[in-house]
Amino acid sequence: MKMKELNVDKRIITLILKHTLQIISESEQQELDLWRQADARHEAVFEYLSELENLEKEYRFRKEIDAEQSLERIKEKLWNEEKETKEVPLRAHRFTTYLYRAAAIIVLLIVGGAYWYHREYTRVTPPEISQEVQLAMEQSRERGVQAAEIITSGMPHQQVITDEERALYHVDEDFAEQLEEAKRITTYHNKEYWVTLPDGSLVHLNYDSRLIYPEKFGDRRDVILEGEAYFMVAHDKSRKFVVHTPQGDVTVHGTEFNVNTRNENDAVNIVLVKGSVGFTPAEGNETMLAPGHELSYGNHQLSIRPTDIAPYTAWNAGEFVFSDWTLERIMSVIARWYGLEIRFMSKDLGERKYSGSLSRYEDLKPTLETIEMVTGLDLNVNNQKLYINLNK
């Protein structure tokens, strides 16, 4: 990709540079986030520019300034001490010079090693966004499904988080301080929303869900979730990523996973796609979860079992995927997404099971036609009610 092909405003390039060097202000970060969310192609450009070799060199140069200055001070000290040893016998003088040189090398190695460790330990690596997910984001915007109510700190007569919610999500003093400048994003009953967090993590909020997060992360990365979301977390060894739910906390270290707090008996459901996460109930110890497994916690009961991650990665990429689901369960998902009420004209129809997939961004009519073709049933919509009957 050549710079002239990017067609990016110089202002945006400057913001990406500042973001990479970690010298960007809060207002500038908001401006950059809005630009990235406006178009899936913008995200691709951001990732490309963020990884350019000249930006890495500039970052390395800034980080090495202190090390270079320290080395110069060491060399100056050695030169001064060498002058003071002129009257020392030649053999002793050479020996002393060798010691100083060895000490200088050791100090240089320590400084260089400390710099390398600091750089690697504090490096923030944004998640890799697949072409399928980028396409889903674009289709979501085109279809008008990308929508949410957004409340930010300082908005008149609005509150990002209530005292009751602080208690529910076990918000401690450090987290509360970060939430003084925060955002609250709430999706509608038939909408979704893609959120890019301050560290570059990407969160896909499902319908009727809520995410609360600081506008700027400090020594920790904490967010609050109610509902369902798919997380693609930026890798950062120096800072944990914690998702607070009513049932407990999900602790992350760079990974992809799905969290749903709205299940039977108010249970939280966590599916790990890759990486490593741990779940800590409000009262209890942390339980680790392996990729390809599902953790459920409700009524003080915790269970872990292997699971198929396909339905979770699929919805994140814009598809409904169901395997051996009852028609009642399938239609409840479809009806909620399209804002309909379900009416089975015969009770046993809902107990039939099917497997398949449907696009989340297809219009209602072709979606129902596909279901009719697969099931052989008759589906009709009248006054936002979906009637399901045997085909006449």
Side-chain angles (χ1 to χ4, degrees):
M1 186 182 294
K2 299 180 179 180
M3 287 298 296
K4 64 181 182 180
E5 296 175 350
L6 296 178
N7 191 25
V8 181
D9 186 85
K10 290 183 179 180
R11 166 68 175 171
I12 295 299
I13 295 177
T14 300
L15 293 179
I16 295 176
L17 175 61
K18 286 187 173 184
H19 174 88
T20 303
L21 300 179
Q22 301 179 8
I23 57 174
I24 192 169
S25 67
E26 293 184 34
S27 59
E28 290 174 334
Q29 184 66 58
Q30 291 178 1
E31 180 181 352
L32 179 59
D33 290 344
L34 289 175
W35 178 81
R36 291 170 62 186
Q37 295 174 7
D39 193 321
R41 291 168 293 185
H42 291 178
E43 185 66 22
V45 171
F46 171 80
E47 292 178 4
Y48 172 74
L49 289 178
S50 297
E51 296 174 358
L52 285 182
E53 184 179 357
N54 64 317
L55 295 189
E56 176 64 16
K57 287 181 178 179
E58 177 70 12
Y59 178 80
R60 188 181 298 115
F61 170 74
R62 288 175 176 270
K63 287 291 186 181
E64 287 180 341
I65 288 178
D66 291 342
E68 293 292 338
Q69 291 176 349
S70 298
L71 183 58
E72 288 300 321
R73 288 195 294 270
I74 293 169
K75 289 165 62 179
E76 181 180 356
K77 179 180 179 181
L78 292 176
W79 184 82
N80 289 334
E81 292 181 352
E82 187 173 341
K83 286 173 59 180
E84 297 172 2
T85 60
K86 286 181 179 179
E87 298 179 1
V88 179
L90 181 60
R91 182 178 298 178
H93 174 67
R94 287 179 176 174
F95 179 71
T96 303
T97 301
Y98 291 151
L99 283 179
Y100 283 139
R101 288 178 179 174
I105 293 173
I106 292 173
V107 171
L108 180 60
L109 290 174
I110 292 174
V111 171
Y115 158 68
W116 177 87
Y117 177 79
H118 179 269
R119 186 189 71 175
E120 293 302 315
Y121 189 69
T122 60
R123 181 190 294 273
V124 179
T125 306
E128 294 184 6
I129 310 302
S130 66
Q131 292 183 349
E132 290 80 5
V133 172
Q134 292 183 26
L135 178 60
M137 295 170 67
E138 186 174 341
Q139 290 178 329
S140 179
R141 283 188 291 267
E142 291 176 351
R143 189 177 176 273
V145 179
Q146 166 92 343
E149 178 189 38
I150 302 177
I151 298 175
T152 59
S153 301
M155 292 180 64
H157 311 298
Q158 299 287 353
Q159 195 172 11
V160 172
I161 185 169
T162 65
D163 292 338
E164 291 78 7
E165 288 172 330
R166 291 175 189 268
L168 176 64
Y169 298 108
H170 305 95
V171 175
D172 59 24
E173 292 183 5
D174 291 338
F175 189 19
E177 184 176 348
Q178 290 192 39
L179 289 176
E180 291 179 1
E181 294 184 1
K183 284 187 178 180
R184 179 191 189 101
I185 299 179
T186 306
T187 54
Y188 304 107
H189 72 280
N190 60 345
K191 305 292 182 181
E192 63 183 3
Y193 201 79
W194 298 86
V195 185
T196 301
L197 300 179
D199 65 337
S201 297
L202 189 63
V203 183
H204 185 185
L205 271 181
N206 208 350
Y207 49 70
D208 195 22
S209 300
R210 179 171 67 247
L211 184 73
I212 301 174
Y213 64 95
E215 294 189 10
K216 183 178 180 180
F217 289 136
D219 295 334
R220 47 193 279 183
R221 299 178 294 168
D222 293 71
V223 302
I224 291 172
L225 172 71
E226 182 166 346
E228 183 173 18
Y230 191 98
F231 289 83
M232 290 165 279
V233 179
H235 186 70
D236 184 348
K237 293 182 180 178
S238 64
R239 297 182 298 176
K240 294 189 297 184
F241 189 101
V242 180
V243 181
H244 298 262
T245 76
Q247 298 87 351
D249 297 341
V250 184
T251 304
V252 190
H253 299 277
T255 187
E256 286 190 25
F257 61 101
N258 193 85
V259 180
N260 188 350
T261 69
R262 290 175 180 163
N263 296 284
E264 293 182 8
N265 301 320
D266 293 326
V268 61
N269 176 274
I270 305 164
V271 174
L272 181 58
V273 176
K274 61 181 179 181
S276 177
V277 303
F279 175 74
T280 306
E283 296 180 0
N285 298 320
E286 183 177 41
T287 299
M288 300 304 296
L289 188 62
H293 285 73
E294 174 183 356
L295 181 151
S296 295
Y297 178 79
N299 289 335
H300 305 287
Q301 298 294 320
L302 187 148
S303 64
I304 297 178
R305 64 181 180 87
T307 190
D308 180 12
I309 64 172
Y312 302 94
T313 56
W315 92 257
N316 185 50
E319 291 186 345
F320 295 114
V321 175
F322 38 93
S323 177
D324 201 30
W325 283 20
T326 64
L327 185 60
E328 182 178 10
R329 182 181 178 187
I330 295 171
M331 297 312 300
S332 66
V333 173
I334 299 299
R336 183 164 186 172
W337 182 244
Y338 290 99
L340 302 173
E341 293 183 26
I342 298 293
R343 295 287 188 273
F344 282 100
M345 305 312 293
S346 177
K347 185 177 181 180
D348 64 318
L349 295 180
E351 298 174 359
R352 298 185 181 186
K353 294 185 176 181
Y354 300 93
S355 299
S357 64
L358 295 166
S359 171
R360 288 166 64 91
Y361 308 123
E362 188 65 84
D363 291 335
L364 176 61
K365 184 177 179 180
T367 297
L368 296 183
E369 289 176 349
T370 299
I371 296 175
E372 284 182 328
M373 182 176 63
V374 171
T375 63
L377 300 175
D378 181 53
L379 280 66
N380 286 300
V381 177
N382 187 11
N383 293 327
Q384 292 302 109
K385 292 182 175 60
L386 176 59
Y387 295 91
I388 303 173
N389 203 351
L390 292 171
N391 207 339
K392 298 178 181 179

